[in-house]
Amino acid sequence: MDKKFAVVLPAGGLGKRMGGNIPKQLMLLGGKPVYRYCLETFLSMDEIAEVVMAVPADWKSHFENELFAKESERCDAVKNCATLTPEMRAKLKIVVGGAERWQSVENGVNALTSSAEYVLVHDVARPFISKEIILDVCNTLVTKGACLVAKPAVDTIKIAADGRVEKTIDRNTVWMAQTPQAARIDLLKKLYARIAAEPLDFVPTDEASILEFFGEPVYIVKGAAANDKLTTPEDFEIFAAKIKTA
């Protein structure tokens, strides 16, 4: 598989549900910033031509110093966080994110400069993405088209209003969206141009919702519990425990 694939990592959120004074992607997990886990996974893969990370404007210099500073210039307080190799650095670019997640992704997509045909968008708050799932996404992109990683619902799903159950739906038709979510780069750019010309009347929560809105088919790549999102302090404790037992 040649280098047809680029990656955008939206890391522009401030993680308000996590609390604290720094973005959750910078919090240490197992002695390493949360965002570094998936970043290093993507940068280490030969199939990935480039990675663009979209970060909060006020923290851009922090990310640049942490990722591009020489070993002697780095903060000794960050443990288990080795300097990126020259090959990894050459693949990486950092841009400022947008007001909404989808706008951060748009900024990242517009910053891509390689000859890649496809882009995978992944939340840095999902640190334990596997190379196997990434390769499944790449294969699905080439053989079928736009796709997202999702895992099947295991609980009974209820629809409710005002605290009262209205109906039960078939959980076999329900999938819990994860990332990466992926599409052709030229397709996403075309849809962003359409949004610019005629703004949406809703805030897209992910790339799949934009593709769906414009009638583009989106295929499912089966995900895993290990790819769940780190959102709350309780999640942080669970993820930290996973590292200890790994």
Side-chain angles (χ1 to χ4, degrees):
M1 190 181 295
D2 56 17
K3 294 186 178 183
K4 297 180 178 180
F5 309 98
V7 174
V8 170
L9 301 176
L14 297 178
K16 295 177 182 178
R17 282 177 286 182
M18 180 64 70
N21 299 318
I22 64 172
K24 68 180 176 184
Q25 58 268 31
L26 286 170
M27 295 175 68
L28 295 185
L29 178 66
K32 183 160 69 173
V34 168
Y35 79 91
R36 288 288 296 247
Y37 287 90
C38 71
L39 175 64
E40 291 173 7
T41 298
F42 284 112
L43 289 175
S44 70
M45 295 182 67
D46 291 338
E47 295 81 4
I48 305 301
E50 66 179 316
V51 177
V52 174
M53 189 160 61
V55 305
D58 293 344
W59 290 87
K60 185 170 184 281
S61 61
H62 178 98
F63 280 95
E64 290 173 338
N65 290 337
E66 194 163 280
L67 291 166
F68 294 112
K70 296 178 181 178
E71 185 68 38
S72 59
E73 299 171 348
R74 297 181 70 255
C75 176
D76 292 336
V78 181
K79 300 176 182 178
N80 302 326
C81 198
T83 301
L84 298 178
T85 66
E87 292 78 15
M88 287 180 169
R89 290 187 187 193
K91 287 186 181 183
L92 178 61
K93 182 185 296 183
I94 298 174
V95 299
V96 173
E100 301 289 346
R101 179 191 182 280
W102 74 269
Q103 293 167 319
S104 292
V105 174
E106 181 182 14
N107 289 356
V109 170
N110 287 333
L112 295 172
T113 57
S114 72
S115 59
E117 297 177 44
Y118 307 94
V119 61
L120 288 69
V121 180
H122 185 69
D123 296 327
V124 296
R126 300 181 187 275
F128 302 139
I129 179 65
S130 69
K131 291 183 179 180
E132 290 75 17
I133 289 178
I134 294 168
L135 291 175
D136 283 347
V137 170
C138 292
N139 286 325
T140 301
L141 273 169
V142 173
T143 59
K144 294 183 178 180
C147 59
L148 83 159
V149 176
K151 64 178 185 178
V154 295
D155 297 319
T156 299
I157 307 297
K158 303 288 185 181
I159 302 297
D162 299 322
R164 176 177 156 185
V165 172
E166 292 191 334
K167 64 177 178 178
T168 302
I169 60 176
D170 182 3
R171 70 182 177 198
N172 293 318
T173 66
V174 177
W175 290 77
M176 316 298 286
Q178 298 184 327
T179 61
Q181 301 190 5
R184 291 187 62 91
I185 294 170
D186 58 359
L187 172 59
L188 282 180
K189 287 185 174 181
K190 180 180 76 172
L191 299 185
Y192 290 142
R194 291 179 65 178
I195 293 172
E198 190 172 344
L200 301 173
D201 58 3
F202 69 99
V203 177
T205 56
D206 61 3
E207 288 59 59
S209 61
I210 294 176
L211 293 161
E212 294 160 28
F213 179 80
F214 288 106
E216 298 289 341
V218 180
Y219 296 91
I220 286 178
V221 173
K222 192 171 182 180
N227 191 36
D228 284 344
K229 191 174 184 179
L230 196 164
T231 303
T232 67
E234 290 76 20
D235 295 334
F236 204 92
E237 293 177 7
I238 293 170
F239 279 50
K242 288 181 181 178
I243 292 176
K244 291 180 180 178
T245 58

